Amino acid sequence: MRVAEVVASTLAAHGVSCLFGVLGDGNLPILDVLVRTHGADYVAAAREDGAVLMADGYARTSGRLGVATVTHGPALTNAVTALTEAARARTPLLLVAADTPPGDRRNPQAIDQEDVVRPTGAGVQHVHSAESAAADTVRAVRRAFTERRPIVLNVPTPLLGLAAGTADAGTFREDRTPAPPPSAEEVARVAEALARAERPVIVAGRGAAHARDDLAVLAERTGALLATTLKAKGFFAGDPFDVGVCGGFATALGRELIRGSDLILAVGAGLNSFTVDGGRMLAGDPVIVHNDVRAAAFDEWVPADLRILGDAGALARMLAATAEPRTGWRTPEIERRIAEYAYEDEFPDASDETGLDPHTVVAALERIVPRERTLVVEGGHAALSEPCRGLSVPDPSAFVFPVNFGSIGLGLASAIGAATARPDRVTLAVTGDGALMMNLAELDTAVRLGLRLVVVVMNDAAFGYEYHNMLHRGMDVGLSLIPRPDFAAVARAFGARGVTVATPGELDDLKTLIADPSGPVLVDARLTRNVRTRWFAEHENGLDPADPDFRPRYR
């Protein structure tokens, strides 16, 4: 077999049945074999960054290896921001990239591709020779999983047509062996701290993904509330004492209760500044117990009183076996308050003649979009914080947050990958008007695939975060105001269904349209700029929701 066939066959042997890409002369020999011989589904993206973001969204939602492919030179440089996002999200992803012939200085696309990739945080695995092609491909797959980051499989084009080596390189299968349990002495110290606690809270991150049931049992026995980091959103969905996300994107009720805790047991969670909301979530001066499988995670952000190295599930079982039953937070009154909480009750609607209150849009989406959903949240003033607070998901795999690099413009392509991975449920992507303009071409990809995708554009005809920031600083906001096209008409031109909404009454009319699974829907939600999101009011203005001067609306 030729090298192109070996690379494709090795990927197929590792279960690669779907990949995203942009075709070029360097990668087409591999892609042709994957599709024609091995029956892989190929999604043609509009741009290379979109292809990598689709593979990223696919991997985050499915738990499988995300795979993208591009040709060489500018194709790879186009993917740099997407690679950085995936690397910071620690997504196992493989980018199969062609490379120009070594030493070919006449080729205008020649570039040192490893130098391009290195700053993104992704890794590079070279196909060194025809003889090592299979082994190098297996090594790239293994590295993607074990290093938990994207790996660029760099394939020089002169190798593609050469006869490959015949040695069996085998296949890699991810080892999910649990980490060792914590020591009995460490568990005893945590048990003593829990015995003294009257209002404990368990905060789970993605590192505790396998331990949900064990943590729920422990929480019930010790009277603890359950909360998550943002990236583990939905982890305890359905538990009557789940208060949702801990940190800057907490609900008003979750914030109140967590800030009243006297012990926080963080499991598989980084305790970064977002999770503790710059320290605001620690207002009750709680004892902090931090459990992780990596010693390097301890004290990276917040000093812990107790540091427990070992498997989260084992820790929860060991504690539950010895802990005395406590009521703690688990009273009928707290259960009632959690059950009755509704995001839409936090603020009265402040929509006006210029457009919709973004809080009102989020509250309507929570009501009308089916609960079995995948949620993709974009960066920006109105598209980021309130969807994170007000929109629920059934489990963490249903929440895709492509904001790890702090970039906007990554949401639509990520949503296409997520919708491809989970066609059984609706994918809701919330984006801003400025962000959508950066990757609008990928709407064509969604239409071609006929995806069950709802794109909601939080449209304030501005770069919203910059608008409110400049207004707060007394600057000329005119620099941030950018009139946009009629997004609903643009969507229809692409072949999607498009609708514009500008009043609260029009929002509930969307229910029938959103419930129809026949292809993508774009909702152009026209917003008023007279409302700050709650997150902006808190963090940029330094106001606390308990402060009588706190208002999301300008007065």
Side-chain angles (χ1 to χ4, degrees):
M1 287 195 295
R2 297 175 296 119
V3 166
E5 294 170 311
V6 163
V7 172
S9 298
T10 303
L11 293 176
H14 284 85
V16 175
S17 58
C18 178
L19 72 163
F20 307 85
V22 175
L23 198 60
D25 64 327
N27 64 337
L28 65 86
I30 297 171
L31 185 57
D32 175 67
V33 177
L34 262 172
V35 173
R36 184 165 47 84
T37 302
H38 299 286
D41 293 325
Y42 169 62
V43 175
R47 276 179 51 97
E48 291 85 359
D49 52 356
V52 174
L53 290 166
M54 291 173 200
D56 186 14
Y58 179 92
R60 296 195 208 189
T61 306
S62 68
R64 302 177 64 187
L65 179 70
V67 181
T69 182
V70 300
T71 189
H72 33 60
L76 184 62
T77 61
N78 280 348
V80 163
T81 296
L83 275 174
T84 308
E85 166 62 31
R88 296 193 178 187
R90 302 189 67 203
T91 302
L93 188 152
L94 189 67
L95 175 58
V96 181
D99 199 356
T100 55
D104 183 3
R105 294 186 298 171
R106 294 171 59 90
N107 192 320
Q109 294 189 340
I111 192 171
D112 188 324
Q113 298 201 161
E114 186 166 3
D115 279 354
V116 170
V117 172
R118 189 180 298 111
T120 71
V124 175
Q125 176 61 54
H126 294 282
V127 174
H128 295 286
S129 67
E131 291 72 23
S132 68
D136 292 333
T137 305
V138 173
R139 190 173 296 113
V141 173
R142 183 180 73 241
R143 290 182 60 193
F145 280 112
T146 59
E147 297 175 21
R148 310 300 297 178
R149 62 172 177 160
I151 300 296
V152 176
L153 181 65
N154 202 63
V155 190
T157 53
L159 297 180
L160 292 170
L162 298 182
T166 57
D168 182 10
T171 54
F172 169 77
R173 293 292 178 261
E174 187 178 11
D175 182 6
R176 297 183 179 272
T177 303
S183 71
E185 293 78 12
E186 289 179 325
V187 174
R189 287 196 291 271
V190 178
E192 291 174 6
L194 277 171
R196 294 189 296 268
E198 297 180 356
R199 299 177 306 282
V201 177
I202 295 174
V203 179
R206 290 192 301 174
H210 63 292
R212 182 197 188 279
D213 293 343
D214 293 321
L215 291 169
V217 169
L218 175 63
E220 183 175 9
R221 188 165 184 84
T222 58
L225 295 175
L226 292 165
T228 73
T229 63
L230 177 63
K231 294 180 183 178
K233 182 178 174 72
F235 189 56
F236 295 114
D239 190 289
F241 288 95
D242 171 28
V243 295
V245 172
C246 174
F249 299 119
T251 64
L253 177 60
R255 176 189 302 271
E256 173 197 336
L257 296 177
I258 296 171
R259 288 174 66 166
S261 66
D262 57 3
L263 182 145
I264 290 179
L265 171 57
V267 287
L271 285 182
N272 61 35
S273 60
F274 295 100
T275 301
V276 300
D277 194 19
R280 295 177 182 87
M281 303 306 289
L282 310 178
D285 193 23
V287 172
I288 297 177
V289 182
H290 194 178
N291 163 244
D292 208 288
V293 295
R294 300 179 303 113
F298 299 141
D299 301 334
E300 183 178 9
W301 297 93
V302 175
D305 297 291
L306 294 172
R307 303 162 190 81
I308 312 300
L309 187 67
D311 179 69
L315 172 63
R317 291 190 296 273
M318 294 167 75
L319 288 171
T322 59
E324 291 294 327
R326 302 286 297 274
T327 299
W329 284 111
R330 297 193 167 220
T331 65
E333 171 64 13
I334 295 296
E335 184 175 8
R336 180 191 63 78
R337 291 186 64 193
I338 293 172
E340 293 179 355
Y341 166 80
Y343 169 83
E344 62 186 330
D345 296 336
E346 287 197 23
F347 294 108
D349 174 42
S351 303
D352 58 26
E353 67 282 358
T354 68
L356 290 158
D357 180 339
H359 305 88
T360 301
V361 176
V362 170
L365 294 174
E366 177 67 4
R367 288 195 307 270
I368 65 180
V369 178
R371 294 300 178 94
E372 279 298 313
R373 65 177 72 133
T374 299
L375 172 64
V376 182
V377 175
E378 175 75 275
H381 172 253
L384 174 62
S385 61
E386 298 316 309
C388 287
R389 294 182 197 267
L391 293 173
S392 61
V393 293
D395 59 71
S397 73
F399 180 61
V400 179
F401 185 69
V403 195
N404 293 274
F405 192 27
S407 175
I408 65 172
L410 312 186
L412 177 56
S414 298
I416 290 170
T420 303
R422 290 299 305 267
D424 56 310
R425 58 192 186 193
V426 63
T427 296
L428 170 63
V430 185
T431 185
D433 52 314
L436 182 62
M437 288 298 292
M438 293 182 179
N439 64 153
L440 184 58
E442 297 301 356
L443 189 59
D444 174 66
T445 309
V447 170
R448 278 189 281 107
L449 296 174
L451 296 176
R452 193 181 178 195
L453 172 64
V454 177
V455 180
V456 178
V457 189
M458 304 291 261
N459 184 1
D460 56 6
F463 281 103
Y465 179 86
E466 286 70 23
Y467 172 87
H468 290 282
N469 201 352
M470 295 173 82
L471 187 65
H472 178 58
R473 297 184 182 193
M475 297 179 179
D476 178 8
V477 298
L479 296 173
S480 67
L481 302 180
I482 304 178
R484 303 297 183 189
D486 182 340
F487 283 118
V490 170
R492 291 191 291 269
F494 272 112
R497 292 166 292 161
V499 62
T500 300
V501 292
T503 65
E506 293 173 317
L507 288 168
D508 282 318
D509 293 340
L510 297 172
K511 187 171 185 178
T512 301
L513 182 67
I514 288 174
D516 183 348
S518 56
V521 175
L522 183 142
V523 177
D524 185 356
R526 301 295 177 89
L527 303 184
T528 176
R529 290 193 293 268
N530 292 322
V531 175
R532 299 167 291 187
T533 62
R534 191 179 79 174
W535 184 92
F536 185 92
E538 292 172 16
H539 291 79
E540 292 301 315
N541 293 26
L543 297 179
D544 189 290
D547 190 316
D549 289 331
F550 177 80
R551 295 289 187 278
R553 181 177 174 82
Y554 292 113
R555 296 186 295 175

